[in-house]
Amino acid sequence: MKIRTRKFLGTIALLVLAAVWALLGMTLAQTPWVANSGWVQAIYYVVVGMGWVLPAMPIVSWMQRPDRA
């Protein structure tokens, strides 16, 4: 697969990942164990806000692989 195709598919995958991650994060934020405490909310939003980077890293790595000779 050419790098141009990988970048196109990777971009779509990253957009889907960000949308699904945000929706799941908002859904879980409404649970009572998060919604009842300000400190838990702060920690939760920091962890969830930065957490999407871990699943995105393999996608970006795959996108940047050079073409086969």
Side-chain angles (χ1 to χ4, degrees):
M1 183 180 304
K2 292 190 180 266
I3 193 166
R4 186 172 179 169
T5 307
R6 278 196 311 273
K7 284 188 177 186
F8 176 71
L9 294 175
T11 301
I12 292 171
L14 287 173
L15 289 172
V16 169
L17 172 68
V20 170
W21 193 270
L23 290 173
L24 286 174
M26 289 186 294
T27 301
L28 291 175
Q30 300 303 313
T31 58
W33 62 273
V34 175
N36 291 336
S37 171
W39 284 105
V40 173
Q41 283 182 353
I43 293 168
Y44 174 79
Y45 282 117
V46 168
V47 169
V48 171
M50 298 298 288
W52 68 273
V53 174
L54 290 175
M57 286 174 20
I59 297 172
V60 173
S61 174
W62 174 75
M63 288 168 56
Q64 293 180 345
R65 259 192 326 191
D67 288 338
R68 291 184 184 172

